[in-house]
């Protein structure tokens, strides 16, 4: 198969949840000398992003996304096993819902989707204080803090995180991602968060863009 | 050249803005297209889209339907709104009286602050007394309402593992099993509360925010609905939804042979009918980043399709953050009244 055919086959394998086929295509791409970054980004990763779009429309369900994510992780592990030097993970992200907010479904979806893209996820769960979230990010050497607030009454917790980050000189060193139903770009701008993500797919795109900037 | 006139309107988060008629028309068009594409339903007609623009741009602060076209109102979580939301220290029976005699509501709902069937079960005898007392002091139909709230069946609040944590960890089979067990238990709890409320003389039951924890949450509600209808065929039950489609946290659950995950309102209502529901409450998510025009057009498209499919009355949920209502603690009157008018006149809702 040509490069384009292999990339298309990788995309199709992820979208059809076919792990064996996905690994076979990965093997063929190595034989053909195609860069794994092209295969992961334009093939397998593009497939995951397509499934993310369908999930957001209610046409694909979370267990299927999880299966696709695992395929992607196993393919990435296969590529890694063939390298003499272990590749650097794209980033480390601390995730949590903010204090007072137990709505963790959206945060779980972001965790699954970001994992599929190779990010290391430190999932703090739900209802964690601003201080705890920032401390976890510092302790783990995270690149990003992602928080979700579903309620208008818990949104100010995201502002508290920004205040702690500023006070401790962490702004710019650790980037912040904010999301949740009442959250908007206007809110992110107002509290000086680095990224506003409307959904898991937006989070993937925006974090990747910031990492490559 | 004179600047084009701009109209006061809002974003989904309530943020105020001014838009030209042309900008509003474009957003109405986009909203209709989005709903039609997602729900695989018919778009609104040109006349209906134009009417939404008229409603949004009408000069009055508050919009209303014409006399004679009013619809009945049901109120979820009603008795908690004065005390919990507004901080007015009144008991629940007084709250029912306020709804009946001051707000002139068509019906009221007695609810406990926990507002979920699971925590109500152990205090059901207190709730029975509260219902009897409220019934003796009111005339309007009185619902008893709560949420299936499947999340409360997960650790540490309940006995089952949390599927929202199992799934990101790749434990799909375990996550599905936990949801199936939780749905089974939740259905029993809802029926148990219904049994006591029938005995207490409640006029109706409300299952509110159905599907909040995904398709298993919806399964619990429909299973309970079917059993309640079997036991008490004349006891009315309203089912209000949590969001515009059932999130597939399980993905394979079915009710009466139909897959629940991914169902939109025009499909949900058919399942509610099969289960025996009396009133169906469709819900359309408000997107806080989009304009009121986009959200309202989208809402009307979904609600009209649901209304056309339904053989039972539909009462769309028009509270904070749904059915184009802004995500603000106090919903602004200009947006709320315009949404109500459009949902009744274009969406053809039977009640709100």
């Amino acid at each position: 198969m040509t490069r384009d055919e292999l990339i298309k086959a990788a995309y199709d394998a992820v979208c059809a949840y076919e792990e064996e086929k996905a690994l076979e295509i990965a093997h063929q791409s190595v034989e053909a000398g195609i860069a794994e970054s092209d295969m992961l980004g334009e093939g397998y990763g593009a497939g995951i992003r397509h499934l993310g779009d369908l999930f957001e429309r209610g046409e694909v369900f979370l267990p299927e996304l999880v299966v696709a994510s695992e395929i992607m992780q196993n393919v990435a592990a296969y590529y890694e096993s063939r390298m003499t030097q272990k590749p650097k993970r794209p980033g480390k992200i601390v995730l949590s819902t903010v204090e007072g907010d137990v709505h963790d479904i959206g945060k779980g979806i972001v965790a699954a989707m970001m994992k599929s893209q190779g990010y290391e996820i430190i999932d703090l769960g739900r209802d964690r204080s601003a201080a705890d979230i920032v401390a976890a990010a510092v302790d783990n050497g995270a690149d990003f803090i992602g928080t979700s607030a579903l309620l208008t009454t818990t949104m100010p917790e995201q502002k508290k995180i920004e205040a702690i980050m500023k006070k401790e000189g962490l702004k710019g060193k650790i980037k912040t991602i904010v999301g949740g139903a009442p959250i908007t770009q206007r809110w992110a701008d107002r509290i000086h968060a680095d990224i506003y993500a409307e959904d898991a797919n937006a989070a993937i795109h925006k974090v990747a863009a910031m990492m490559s900037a | 050249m004179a600047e084009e006139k701009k109209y006061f309107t809002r974003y989904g988060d309530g943020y105020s803005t001014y838009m030209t008629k042309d900008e509003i028309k474009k957003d109405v068009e986009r909203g209709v297209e989005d709903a039609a594409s997602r729900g695989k339903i018919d778009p609104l007609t040109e006349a209906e889209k134009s009417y939404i623009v008229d409603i949004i741009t009408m000069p009055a602060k508050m919009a209303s339907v014409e006399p004679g076209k009013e619809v009945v109102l049901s109120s979820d979580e009603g008795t908690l709104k004065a005390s919990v939301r507004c901080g007015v220290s009144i008991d629940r029976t007084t709250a029912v009286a306020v709804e009946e005699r001051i707000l002139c509501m068509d019906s009221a709902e007695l609810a406990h602050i926990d507002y979920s069937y699971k925590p109500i079960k152990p205090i059901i005898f207190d709730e029975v007394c509260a219902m009897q007392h409220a019934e003796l002091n009111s005339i309007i139909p009185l619902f008893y309402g709560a949420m299936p709230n499947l999340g409360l069946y997960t650790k540490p609040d309940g006995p089952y593992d949390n599927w929202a944590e199992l799934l990101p960890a790749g434990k799909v089979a375990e996550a599905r099993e936990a949801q199936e067990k939780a749905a089974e238990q939740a259905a029993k709890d809802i029926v148990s509360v219904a049994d006591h409320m029938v005995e207490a003389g409640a006029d109706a039951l409300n299952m509110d925010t159905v599907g909040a924890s995904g398709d298993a949450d919806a399964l619990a509600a429909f299973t309970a609905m079917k059993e309640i209808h079997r036991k008490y065929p004349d006891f009315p039950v309203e089912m209000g939804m949590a969001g515009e489609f059932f999130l597939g946290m399980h993905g394979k659950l079915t009710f009466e042979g139909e897959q629940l995950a991914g169902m939109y309102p025009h499909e949900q209502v058919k399942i509610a009918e099969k289960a025996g529901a009396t009133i169906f409450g469709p819900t359309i998510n408000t997107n806080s980043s989009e304009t009121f025009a986009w959200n309202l057009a989208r809402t009307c498209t979904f609600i009209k399709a649901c209304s056309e499919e339904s053989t039972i009355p539909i009462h769309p949920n028009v509270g904070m953050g749904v059915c184009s209502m802004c995500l603000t603690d106090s919903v602004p009157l200009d947006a709320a009244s315009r949404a109500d008018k459009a949902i009744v006149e274009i969406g053809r809702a039977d009640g709100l």
Side-chain angles (χ1 to χ4, degrees):
Chain A
M1 280 198 273
T2 65
R3 175 190 176 279
D4 287 351
E5 284 168 344
L6 279 166
I7 284 174
K8 170 81 170 47
Y11 176 95
D12 290 343
V14 165
C15 291
Y17 318 106
E18 291 178 336
E19 180 159 6
E20 274 183 35
K21 195 170 179 186
L23 287 167
E24 171 58 27
I25 290 157
H27 176 69
Q28 287 180 36
S29 73
V30 170
E31 300 275 295
I34 297 165
E36 71 275 0
S37 57
D38 290 357
M39 291 298 293
L40 287 170
E42 297 173 39
Y44 302 107
I48 292 274
R49 289 190 290 276
H50 173 64
L51 291 176
D53 285 337
L54 294 178
F55 174 79
E56 197 255 324
R57 298 169 68 88
E59 293 176 27
V60 155
F61 312 122
L62 194 53
E64 294 162 343
L65 263 190
V66 168
V67 170
S69 298
E70 287 193 328
I71 293 172
M72 175 90 178
Q73 286 173 53
N74 291 339
V75 167
Y78 168 77
Y79 284 126
E80 276 185 35
S81 71
R82 300 192 55 86
M83 294 174 191
T84 48
Q85 214 173 5
K86 206 173 177 187
K88 195 174 171 287
R89 283 204 175 258
K92 198 182 274 189
I93 305 173
V94 165
L95 289 177
S96 182
T97 71
V98 295
E99 188 166 20
D101 210 319
V102 296
H103 302 88
D104 60 356
I105 290 178
K107 186 263 300 164
I109 294 164
V110 172
M113 293 284 285
M114 298 300 288
K115 259 188 195 176
S116 75
Q117 300 294 309
Y119 294 96
E120 187 177 337
I121 301 297
I122 297 135
D123 190 344
L124 302 182
R126 58 195 183 193
D127 194 12
R128 299 294 295 266
S129 72
D132 281 356
I133 293 168
V134 175
V138 172
D139 292 348
N140 288 285
D143 303 291
F144 292 89
I145 290 174
T147 56
S148 170
L150 188 81
L151 309 170
T152 51
T153 48
T154 59
M155 286 166 66
E157 291 298 315
Q158 293 179 331
K159 194 175 174 183
K160 274 190 198 168
I161 290 173
E162 299 298 334
I164 294 171
M165 302 274 289
K166 191 176 173 188
K167 190 179 167 193
E168 303 201 354
L170 296 169
K171 283 297 287 178
K173 294 175 187 162
I174 302 172
K175 307 284 187 188
T176 51
I177 316 163
V178 291
I183 307 304
T184 61
Q185 184 64 55
R186 287 184 296 282
W187 170 251
D189 293 343
R190 201 183 308 164
I191 65 171
H192 305 295
D194 297 296
I195 294 176
Y196 158 64
E198 187 178 345
D199 52 34
N201 254 5
I204 287 173
H205 289 297
K206 290 185 178 180
V207 168
M210 191 165 273
M211 291 296 287
S212 61
Chain B
M1 201 171 113
E3 196 180 334
E4 196 176 349
K5 185 177 177 183
K6 289 192 170 183
Y7 298 85
F8 173 80
T9 184
R10 295 180 186 273
Y11 282 92
D13 62 349
Y15 192 87
S16 55
T17 187
Y18 287 85
M19 295 170 74
T20 65
K21 198 171 235 185
D22 199 43
E23 288 168 339
I24 292 171
K25 273 183 194 169
K26 283 179 182 160
D27 275 7
V28 166
E29 198 69 52
R30 283 196 308 115
V32 169
E33 278 172 19
D34 188 70
S37 155
R38 283 170 188 265
K40 299 179 179 60
I41 52 178
D42 289 337
L44 296 181
T45 65
E46 290 305 317
E48 287 165 335
K49 286 187 271 190
S50 175
Y51 190 46
I52 292 178
V53 176
D54 290 345
I55 291 172
I56 293 171
T57 56
M58 63 195 302
K61 176 171 179 172
M62 182 179 167
S64 175
V65 295
E66 291 171 22
K69 292 187 177 173
E70 300 91 343
V71 296
V72 294
L73 301 176
S74 49
S75 168
D76 53 23
E77 214 188 338
T79 46
L80 300 179
K81 279 172 181 152
S83 56
V84 178
R85 295 260 180 100
C86 306
V88 181
S89 300
I90 54 172
D91 65 89
R92 290 187 285 170
T93 303
T94 311
V96 170
V98 167
E99 297 225 339
E100 177 179 289
R101 295 164 209 180
I102 298 177
L103 300 176
C104 303
M105 289 290 293
D106 301 300
S107 67
E109 180 183 294
L110 187 78
H112 187 266
I113 191 167
D114 281 329
Y115 206 54
S116 301
Y117 284 98
K118 179 174 175 274
I120 287 162
K121 200 176 147 189
I123 55 161
I124 189 62
F125 295 104
D126 292 336
E127 292 303 277
V128 162
C129 286
M131 174 55 80
Q132 288 168 338
H133 192 250
E135 283 284 13
L136 288 169
N137 285 280
S138 61
I139 299 163
I140 57 174
L142 198 52
F143 289 68
Y144 186 82
M147 297 164 54
N149 200 354
L150 222 57
L152 285 183
Y153 294 84
T154 63
K155 293 173 185 172
D157 304 306
Y160 308 115
D161 288 329
N162 185 352
W163 44 91
E165 289 172 7
L166 290 170
L167 282 167
K171 296 176 179 174
V172 173
E174 293 90 334
R176 282 188 165 137
E177 189 187 354
Q179 290 176 75
E180 287 158 16
K181 286 180 178 169
E184 195 180 330
Q185 186 58 52
K188 285 180 189 166
D189 289 350
I190 297 168
V191 174
S192 169
V193 170
D195 287 339
H196 287 90
M197 282 301 151
V198 169
E199 286 296 314
D203 296 303
L205 193 79
N206 181 25
M207 290 187 213
D208 191 13
T209 328
V210 168
S213 302
D215 46 348
D217 194 294
L219 178 65
F222 289 130
T223 306
M225 178 69 252
K226 189 177 176 183
E227 178 62 6
I228 294 167
H229 188 60
R230 186 190 68 76
K231 291 170 92 170
Y232 317 107
D234 297 328
F235 183 59
V237 180
E238 178 171 1
M239 297 187 86
M241 301 296 113
E244 65 194 30
F245 68 83
F246 294 142
L247 196 63
M249 295 297 284
H250 185 292
K252 290 186 174 173
L253 296 173
T254 59
F255 183 81
E256 300 286 312
E258 302 281 345
Q259 179 181 279
L260 294 172
M263 270 189 176
Y264 278 89
H266 62 291
E267 299 157 323
Q268 295 166 354
V269 70
K270 302 312 288 178
I271 297 293
E273 283 172 10
K274 278 186 190 174
T278 318
I279 301 171
F280 179 73
T283 295
I284 309 304
N285 307 345
T286 293
N287 185 322
S288 47
S289 297
E290 290 282 1
T291 61
F292 176 67
W294 183 90
N295 279 301
L296 183 58
R298 199 169 172 278
T299 296
C300 288
T301 310
F302 274 123
I303 297 297
K304 184 186 167 194
C306 177
S307 180
E308 284 174 350
E309 285 295 323
S310 177
T311 57
I312 57 175
I314 66 161
H315 288 199
N317 285 276
V318 282
M320 180 183 76
V322 290
C323 282
S324 67
M325 292 289 178
C326 304
L327 268 105
T328 50
D329 290 338
S330 298
V331 177
L333 184 63
D334 53 277
S337 63
R338 280 166 173 75
D340 289 346
K341 178 178 172 67
I343 290 167
V344 170
E345 294 184 345
I346 299 169
R348 297 167 202 174
D350 304 288
L352 297 172

